[in-house]
Every structure is written in structure tokens, then in C-alpha cells.
Amino acid sequence: MQDFREAKTWFPFFTNHPNEIYFDNSATTLKPQNVIDAIGDYYAKYATNPHNTDSDLAYQTAVKFEEVRFKVQQFINAPQVEEIIFTAGTTAGINQIAYGLRKLIQPGDEIFLTQQEHGANILPWYRLAKECQGEIKYLPEQNYQIDITALEKVISPRTKIVTFANIPNILGYENDVPRIVKRLKTINPNIIVVVDCAQGVLHTKTDVQGWGADFIVFSAHKMFGPTGVGVLWGKTNLLEQLEPLFLGGGMNNAINPTDLTYRKKALPACLEGGTPNVSGIFGFGAALDFINKIGLDNIISYAESLKAYAVTQFEEHLKDKVIVYNKTTPTPILVFNIKEVFSQDVATHLGTIDHITVRSGDHCARLIGAVINEKNTVRISFTIYNDKNDIDELVQAIKKETAFLGRL
Ligand SMILES: Cc1ncc(COP(=O)(O)O)c(C=O)c1O
């Protein structure tokens, strides 16, 4: 397995916070130097808007911008580069899909999701269902994963959309996307399958052609890239049917003031109205270079090894004091509670006293209480700049906080 001993030196965050242990990677990862440089480079060296290629500089900006789209295409194994739509993030992508599909939903039509979804993959669908008098339903689960064998019992001819995270952001049990898609399409080939890859994109290989799903979405900031950048990928014929969420510059060829209509540009421009986050997209390109250089497989196996180590350390040192909710998945997310202590007290103590950044609460997956019978947990998540020493320090800190908080 690759040695990431030097990884902390690649991330300027640790120069500024040498004593901080950062375990909130599921919320957002830190950024390596090359990503930070690429963002600055755009402003210092390119500065122009890629929508206007009149000047040489604007042309260079447009070329570099489109190179990033190509890198994304390779990264997710998309058949067409025009199918890569830049967005502001996962939330923006899902809102575009849900808004764009409203003509599809008739009263009584069903939209299926899971109770482990992040709010970003719940609320746009709730709104769609309410506005179109559709129905929200929940997919059957077994051992925290979508139960493929039970799909047949719940999916009906009224089912129009099925959406789920390939790796949900609390428990992290991976759903078998190709098998789920195959099953759904066998039951009804017209079902549109939307996969939220916000967490999964750094924890598993994304392969849209292998998966057969119709749309996927993810955010750059959870994969060492900048905030405010994301990707919506969809099959060409479906992207062409989406009603654009953002109307304005860059997405139209002509405006007709007589009948108040416009002529849409071809993909991807028609779904990218407005000046894009150019610096962020340059930074995203650098993040993809960074991941490709290290190798996604190496990142995944190293992060998973830390999860396995954390589970053994929790078992060995904290067994009586701590409940772990997701020991049995390799995904590098571990959620726990100190018995009888509120998760936010734990997170605040770890964060302010021990300089260990963790996350508490329901992690925006507000329906999770229906799945694990506990709404609030402490979440830690691992990536390349974490190491066993970080986990040892966390275990010691939890022991200390358990003694203190348990006495309150
Ligand atoms: C599974 C999942 N979906 C969606 C989101 C929302 O991502 P963003 O805030 O980048 O739009 C997150 C963020 O935590 C997530 O984990």
C-alpha cells in the first residue's frame, strides 16, 4: 500500500495549523497546494471569461476550462464530454435535475429515495412531488443498503424517478449501483435513476457507463477541489429534456421579444447559464490531476485501512464507553456516540480542547433516525493526510472526554 507519510506537507492547512487533526473529510476535504495555486493562477494569469473568446487570453481560458471538462469525462468514464455540466455543487445539480424534470411528473407518479439521503437529495424531490402532486416513497433497505431483491415489490408503473446516494454520508454502506440500476430498468426501463455521488466520488470508482444510471452529481470540494464547483452528468437525451434552472447569458443563442422565448444552445452550455466559477473549475482540474497522480485506488485503500484501524482501536480501548454504528463497512467514515453523552458536546470538546475536528449531529441526513434509531452522532472520516497517530490521539482524547463528560 502507498505510503502517505508526507501527505500532511502537501496541504498548506497543516502549515497554518500544525497541531490540528482534521477528521471532517466527509463534510469537505482540505486542499493541496496545486489546487490553491491553480485558483490563484486563473486570476493572475488568465482572468478572462471563457464565454467570450475574442481575445487570445479568453481563448486560452476557454481551452483550459474545457480541458477540465475532459478530465471529468475521463474520471467518471462518461461517453460524451458534452454530458459534463459544471454546477455549483451536488445541491445545485440535484436541484437542476428535479426542476428540469417537472414536466415528467403527473399527479400520482412516484419518486423513490432512501431515508439515508442528505437533505440535498430529499428536499428538491419533496418540492417536485408537492408541486406536481407526485408521491414520495422510500426504497426498501437491508443491512443499511438498498434491498435489491425487494425492489420488485415496491416499484410500480407509476414510478418515474429513483434516487439514492451510492455511498450515504453517515453510515457509508455502499449501494451496488449497477445491480440496482439493472433491476430497476428490468422492472421498468423508463425509470430515471439519479445517483448522488457526493460521498462516493472519493471512496469508490465512479463509472457511469458501467453503472447505467441516468444522472449523477457530485461536488469538487469533497475531492480536494474548491468549494462552489460540482458536476452534473446525465445521458445526452435526458440532459436535452431538462428545463434549464438558470436562464441568462451563455445558455441561449437568440431571444425573441415577440413571443418571449429563447433558443437554447447545445449541451453543455444550455445548462450552464451565467458566468461559471472559472477559478474554481481551474482548481477542480488541479484536484483531478492530484487524484490521478496518486491514484484513486491508492487513496481508497489507504483511507479504508485507517477505518479498519480505527475500528480495532475503538474496540480495544473504548468498547464499554462508545457505540459505533457502522463498524462493518470499509468506507472510511466512522460514526459513534459516547454512551449517554450528547454528540455535539463530544464534538465541541474534541474541537476546542483537543484540536481534533470532527462533526456532530444528523449530518444533514435528517431522516436518519428512522434507520439507526439515533438522530445525532459524532462522525469522523479519513483520507490521505490522516494517519494512525491521528487515530491514537483521537482515542486518547475520547477517553479523557468520556471521563469528563460522563461525569457532568
Ligand atoms: C451524500 C451527500 N449529498 C449531498 C451533499 C451536499 O453537497 P454540497 O453541499 O457540496 O452541495 C453532501 C454533503 O455533505 C453529501 O454528503
Side-chain angles (χ1 to χ4, degrees):
M1 190 187 313
Q2 184 159 341
D3 180 3
F4 286 106
R5 216 171 304 168
E6 289 189 355
K8 279 192 166 74
T9 65
W10 305 336
F11 292 80
F13 173 88
F14 293 110
T15 313
N16 296 310
H17 305 281
N19 300 320
E20 193 72 25
I21 294 176
Y22 186 82
F23 277 136
D24 200 12
N25 297 295
S26 283
T28 197
T29 57
L30 303 177
K31 317 307 168 202
Q33 188 66 55
N34 76 317
V35 168
I36 297 167
D37 289 347
I39 296 166
D41 265 8
Y42 164 70
Y43 290 114
K45 297 181 186 157
Y46 294 81
T48 45
N49 192 324
H51 280 172
N52 149 17
T53 53
D54 294 342
S55 71
D56 187 38
L57 270 180
Y59 177 74
Q60 285 178 36
T61 303
V63 168
K64 203 166 152 72
F65 188 88
E66 293 306 320
E67 273 170 18
V68 181
R69 202 185 301 277
F70 179 71
K71 285 177 193 175
V72 176
Q73 181 197 3
Q74 306 292 304
F75 191 76
I76 65 171
N77 189 27
Q80 310 288 340
V81 74
E82 297 79 14
E83 293 174 343
I84 309 299
I85 313 297
F86 287 125
T87 66
T90 306
T91 305
I94 299 170
N95 274 278
Q96 167 62 83
I97 301 168
Y99 179 83
L101 292 176
R102 44 212 300 132
K103 284 198 198 110
L104 183 84
I105 304 297
Q106 303 300 320
D109 284 348
E110 299 162 346
I111 300 167
F112 273 87
L113 39 111
T114 82
Q115 289 174 313
Q116 295 193 49
E117 298 312 306
H118 186 284
N121 202 28
I122 301 174
L123 294 178
W125 304 114
Y126 278 13
R127 179 164 62 187
L128 178 64
K130 276 182 113 169
E131 289 181 2
C132 300
Q133 294 166 280
E135 268 188 60
I136 293 288
K137 296 201 162 174
Y138 299 96
L139 292 165
E141 291 186 30
Q142 171 120 46
N143 299 328
Y144 309 119
Q145 287 160 308
I146 294 168
D147 183 355
I148 300 172
T149 58
L151 287 175
E152 206 139 18
K153 290 184 213 129
V154 297
I155 300 297
S156 85
R158 300 308 306 260
T159 305
K160 289 283 168 68
I161 296 169
V162 174
T163 183
F164 58 91
N166 62 333
I167 298 190
N169 69 320
I170 298 188
L171 298 175
Y173 288 86
E174 184 169 1
N175 287 309
D176 188 337
V177 181
R179 280 191 60 219
I180 294 167
V181 175
K182 198 165 166 211
R183 193 78 217 105
L184 289 169
K185 300 271 182 185
T186 310
I187 301 169
N188 175 358
N190 296 324
I191 290 174
I192 293 176
V193 185
V194 180
V195 186
D196 174 355
C197 299
Q199 289 299 323
V201 73
L202 199 58
H203 302 322
T204 191
K205 174 97 190 80
T206 305
D207 176 5
V208 298
Q209 293 192 71
W211 289 358
D214 297 296
F215 291 106
I216 75 158
V217 285
F218 56 96
S219 303
H221 71 93
K222 293 184 196 282
M223 50 190 301
F224 309 121
T227 52
V229 178
V231 170
L232 153 59
W233 168 84
K235 289 179 177 159
T236 299
N237 65 322
L238 290 170
L239 286 173
E240 281 171 351
Q241 286 173 45
L242 283 188
E243 175 68 27
L245 180 57
F246 296 113
L247 304 183
M251 55 75 65
N252 78 85
N253 276 323
I255 293 179
N256 184 340
T258 312
D259 63 1
L260 313 184
T261 58
Y262 67 96
R263 198 167 68 231
K264 249 190 351 183
K265 277 192 179 168
L267 289 170
C270 59
L271 294 172
E272 291 182 353
T275 299
N277 182 351
V278 191
S279 62
I281 286 164
F282 277 33
F284 184 28
L288 291 166
D289 292 344
F290 178 80
I291 293 171
N292 289 335
K293 192 167 164 207
I294 296 171
L296 181 63
D297 288 347
N298 291 324
I299 295 171
I300 294 170
S301 54
Y302 178 76
E304 288 185 353
S305 76
L306 289 182
K307 163 74 183 281
Y309 180 74
V311 169
T312 58
Q313 295 309 296
F314 271 57
E315 281 280 302
E316 200 174 316
H317 302 285
L318 302 169
K319 202 171 176 173
D320 302 334
K321 303 178 176 81
V322 164
I323 305 160
V324 178
Y325 297 93
N326 64 344
K327 278 182 216 164
T328 55
T329 172
T331 300
I333 302 173
L334 190 135
V335 278
F336 67 93
N337 269 323
I338 296 179
K339 287 181 188 162
E340 287 165 36
V341 183
F342 185 51
S343 64
Q344 197 176 21
D345 293 340
V346 178
T348 314
H349 271 244
L350 290 172
T352 53
I353 299 168
D354 304 298
H355 299 286
I356 302 177
T357 305
V358 303
R359 178 75 180 271
S360 70
D362 61 15
H363 318 288
C364 297
R366 303 239 193 268
L367 310 180
I368 194 68
V371 180
I372 54 172
N373 218 5
E374 174 58 68
K375 209 166 159 356
N376 299 300
T377 53
V378 183
R379 181 179 71 183
I380 52 176
S381 36
F382 313 103
T383 192
I384 52 173
Y385 40 73
N386 298 121
D387 55 30
K388 287 185 175 173
N389 193 41
D390 292 351
I391 294 169
D392 295 342
E393 284 196 35
L394 172 72
V395 168
Q396 289 314 315
I398 293 175
K399 266 189 182 171
K400 191 185 68 176
E401 298 303 350
T402 307
F404 177 70
L405 290 165
R407 249 187 256 130
L408 287 177

